[in-house]
Amino acid sequence: QVQLVESGGGLVQTGDSLRLSCAASGRTFSTYVMGWFRHDPGQEREFVAAINWRGDNTVYADSVKGRFTISRDNAKNTVYLLMNSLKPEDTAVYYCASDRSSVVHRTAANYDYWGQGTQVTVSS
């Protein structure tokens, strides 16, 4: 069983950077694929990024490619999302999630464990 806790959200201005963290408590954390998703009221939940357990395979949504970077530190049981050049359309609650797949993927339904979310607000 895995427990996930996100942190690092806040209120920033357009063009700023922010790094989100997701701490996991499970002893088998390093064997899990990890993903980031976001949801804003009135919008559909969307995939942001994912990373395999070795950290050598990543996939990004087109909307964040080149601006966001997902990484993980298995020794610290933590996954990160570095967000650069933030835009107002990035405003959302950001969630981290995990599953036991060995291949990174974009499908939310295939992720087994979810954190509580952290709010990111980007002002115009």
Side-chain angles (χ1 to χ4, degrees), residues 47-48 60-67 106:
F47 168 82
V48 177
Y60 296 91
D62 289 341
S63 60
V64 306
K65 193 180 305 179
R67 297 189 298 123
R106 305 167 181 262

Coordinates of all heavy atoms in Angstrom, one line a residue, residues 47-48 60-67 106:
F47 N -3.9 14.8 -17.9 CA -2.6 14.3 -17.7 C -1.6 15.4 -17.8 O -1.7 16.2 -18.7 CB -2.3 13.1 -18.6 CG -0.9 12.7 -18.7 CD1 -0.4 11.8 -17.7 CD2 -0.1 13.1 -19.7 CE1 0.9 11.4 -17.7 CE2 1.2 12.7 -19.7 CZ 1.7 11.8 -18.7
V48 N -0.5 15.4 -17.0 CA 0.6 16.3 -17.1 C 1.9 15.7 -17.4 O 2.5 16.0 -18.4 CB 0.7 17.1 -15.7 CG1 1.9 18.1 -15.8 CG2 -0.6 17.9 -15.4
Y60 N 5.2 13.6 -21.4 CA 4.6 14.9 -21.0 C 3.4 15.2 -21.9 O 3.4 14.8 -23.1 CB 5.6 16.0 -21.2 CG 6.8 15.9 -20.2 CD1 8.0 15.3 -20.6 CD2 6.7 16.5 -19.0 CE1 9.0 15.2 -19.8 CE2 7.8 16.4 -18.1 CZ 9.0 15.8 -18.5 OH 10.1 15.7 -17.7
A61 N 2.4 15.9 -21.4 CA 1.4 16.5 -22.2 C 2.0 17.6 -23.1 O 2.9 18.3 -22.7 CB 0.3 17.1 -21.3
D62 N 1.4 17.7 -24.3 CA 1.9 18.7 -25.2 C 1.9 20.1 -24.6 O 2.7 21.0 -24.9 CB 1.1 18.7 -26.5 CG 1.4 17.5 -27.3 OD1 2.4 16.8 -27.1 OD2 0.6 17.1 -28.2
S63 N 0.9 20.4 -23.8 CA 0.7 21.7 -23.2 C 1.8 22.2 -22.2 O 2.0 23.3 -22.0 CB -0.6 21.8 -22.5 OG -0.7 20.9 -21.5
V64 N 2.6 21.2 -21.7 CA 3.6 21.5 -20.7 C 5.0 21.1 -21.2 O 6.0 21.4 -20.6 CB 3.4 20.8 -19.4 CG1 2.0 21.2 -18.9 CG2 3.5 19.3 -19.5
K65 N 5.1 20.4 -22.4 CA 6.4 20.0 -22.9 C 7.3 21.1 -23.1 O 7.0 22.2 -23.7 CB 6.2 19.2 -24.2 CG 7.4 18.4 -24.7 CD 7.0 17.7 -26.0 CE 5.8 16.9 -25.9 NZ 5.5 16.2 -27.2
G66 N 8.5 21.0 -22.6 CA 9.5 22.1 -22.7 C 9.5 23.0 -21.6 O 10.4 23.8 -21.4
R67 N 8.4 23.0 -20.8 CA 8.3 23.9 -19.6 C 8.4 23.2 -18.3 O 9.0 23.7 -17.3 CB 7.0 24.7 -19.7 CG 6.9 25.6 -20.9 CD 5.7 26.5 -20.7 NE 4.4 25.8 -20.7 CZ 3.5 25.8 -19.7 NH1 3.8 26.6 -18.6 NH2 2.4 25.1 -19.7
R106 N -0.6 7.5 -19.7 CA -1.4 8.8 -19.5 C -2.8 8.5 -18.9 O -3.5 9.5 -18.6 CB -1.6 9.5 -20.8 CG -0.3 9.9 -21.6 CD -0.6 10.3 -23.0 NE 0.7 10.6 -23.7 CZ 1.2 11.8 -23.9 NH1 0.6 12.9 -23.3 NH2 2.3 12.0 -24.6

